[in-house]
Amino acid sequence: MTRPRISDLTVGEVVAERTVTLHRDTLVRYAGASGDFNPIHYRDDVAASAGLPGVLAHGMLTMGLAVQPVVDWLDGDSGRVVDYQTRFTRPVVVDPAEGAEVTIVAKVGVLEERFARIDLTVSFGGQTVLGKAQVRVDLE
Amino acid sequence: MAVNPEIQGRRLPPVGPYLVGREKVREFARAVLAQSPLNLDAESARAAGYADVVAPPTFPVVVQEATLAQLLAEPDTGIDFTRVVHGDQRFTFVRPVVAGDELMAELTVTSVKSLGGHSMVTASTEVVDLDGELVLTAISTLVVRGDEEASA
């Protein structure tokens, strides 16, 4: 696999797609790696008492995994990501048995000289969970 | 308690240095389901021109987090931690973070706004290397949910 060239891209083109299933152990692993031990991400009783529909994935976990299909499209060179932003618009509720299926679609949003803005659509249960999820990549 | 609007513009003392460890980068990479050998294998990263494994794009949240904790520990912010929701997040890179980097992080409160009973606090953390060169900026907006009466 080789790195994409800016001259080969067109706005609106889908460059990567992936579906991942998050399980409770995915959340526990992220809690340990990130240091975010808020119990709403692993304890049903705490999530319920906070008025939440269930244990939620960390927003930063969703943000972190949503960029991975783009990194792989960049031939694995995550250092080409020069800007990455998102809003957290809806929670990802992770069922203890079934987990949560999250779908990522990455499209070319803007082409500007050596940079491409890749727009992510990240969905769970048919609704988007991230807003304005944009990854600016350097393709020089 | 409402968020104190006077914290806008406040710059906190720098936190660090944070030494980016190779195994920490690998652990974080696995946790965000990264598959790239550049995030996981030092030899592959060196072959691609990096000094060591490359941290995934959202890894700097680990460094930024210390500055957000520092903000929440300030006595006069009026931010009730139990009502904080992460509203948005942005990382803007001058260069990628790699294992072996030693980083200092310095937070500035760039904005405090009220919206429909909620408060939005935006904090920008500049992450620099030990030479003082900017590596990245991490920006978070924290939404502090208002009282039930205020938001009703």
Side-chain angles (χ1 to χ4, degrees):
Chain A
M1 194 175 153
T2 53
R3 185 156 44 83
R5 287 185 305 185
I6 199 119
S7 56
D8 294 339
L9 300 177
T10 47
V11 171
E13 176 185 357
V14 172
V15 295
E17 280 184 271
R18 185 174 295 169
T19 298
V20 296
T21 305
L22 308 186
H23 293 285
R24 291 286 173 88
D25 62 281
T26 320
L27 309 194
V28 171
R29 185 185 290 256
Y30 185 77
S34 68
D36 182 347
F37 290 102
N38 186 333
I40 64 164
H41 302 304
Y42 51 89
R43 274 183 58 176
D44 293 279
D45 57 329
V46 175
S49 68
L52 301 170
V55 160
L56 309 182
H58 307 74
M60 286 305 302
L61 169 59
T62 306
M63 185 182 188
L65 64 88
V67 75
Q68 296 306 324
V70 177
V71 170
D72 293 341
W73 171 68
L74 293 167
D75 201 19
D77 192 353
S78 59
R80 293 190 170 274
V81 172
V82 294
D83 192 287
Y84 182 27
Q85 64 174 314
T86 194
R87 286 198 301 261
F88 302 102
T89 51
R90 279 197 193 85
V92 174
V93 181
V94 181
D95 182 86
E98 305 296 319
E101 201 168 81
V102 174
T103 301
I104 304 143
V105 179
K107 272 186 196 179
V108 178
V110 175
L111 295 170
E112 186 188 18
E113 297 171 3
R114 59 195 266 188
F115 300 100
R117 193 191 82 200
I118 306 300
D119 297 342
L120 306 179
T121 304
V122 182
S123 319
F124 162 70
Q127 292 191 301
T128 59
V129 294
L130 298 182
K132 202 187 170 192
Q134 299 177 345
V135 192
R136 190 169 157 87
V137 300
D138 184 349
L139 294 177
E140 176 96 328
Chain B
M1 186 164 62
V3 173
N4 175 7
E6 289 180 8
I7 64 171
Q8 181 168 319
R10 183 173 299 178
R11 194 173 178 94
L12 301 183
V15 178
Y18 179 96
L19 172 59
V20 179
R22 181 190 292 163
E23 296 307 331
K24 189 68 195 177
V25 168
R26 287 156 49 92
E27 179 192 14
F28 190 92
R30 287 191 296 266
V32 293
L33 314 180
Q35 299 170 6
S36 171
L38 275 60
N39 301 139
L40 296 162
D41 176 53
E43 209 166 297
S44 301
R46 285 193 202 105
Y50 294 100
D52 206 317
V53 288
V54 183
T58 59
F59 176 85
V61 73
V62 176
V63 184
Q64 180 197 12
E65 170 56 30
T67 64
L68 292 171
Q70 186 190 20
L71 173 65
L72 294 171
E74 291 274 289
D76 62 339
T77 64
I79 300 172
D80 177 356
F81 178 66
T82 64
R83 292 182 166 277
V84 170
V85 178
H86 198 172
D88 62 48
Q89 179 69 34
R90 182 171 197 170
F91 300 100
T92 303
F93 293 89
V94 175
R95 65 160 177 91
V97 172
V98 297
D101 280 342
E102 287 195 70
L103 303 171
M104 301 292 297
E106 190 170 350
L107 179 146
T108 303
V109 178
T110 50
S111 136
V112 178
K113 288 179 193 159
S114 288
L115 194 71
H118 303 306
S119 298
M120 319 245 284
V121 178
T122 303
S124 176
T125 298
E126 289 195 338
V127 177
V128 303
D129 64 20
L130 292 186
D131 296 325
E133 295 290 332
L134 184 66
V135 177
L136 67 107
T137 306
I139 302 173
S140 289
T141 299
L142 307 178
V143 180
V144 188
R145 291 176 294 147
D147 298 334
E148 303 309 322
E149 314 92 76
S151 59

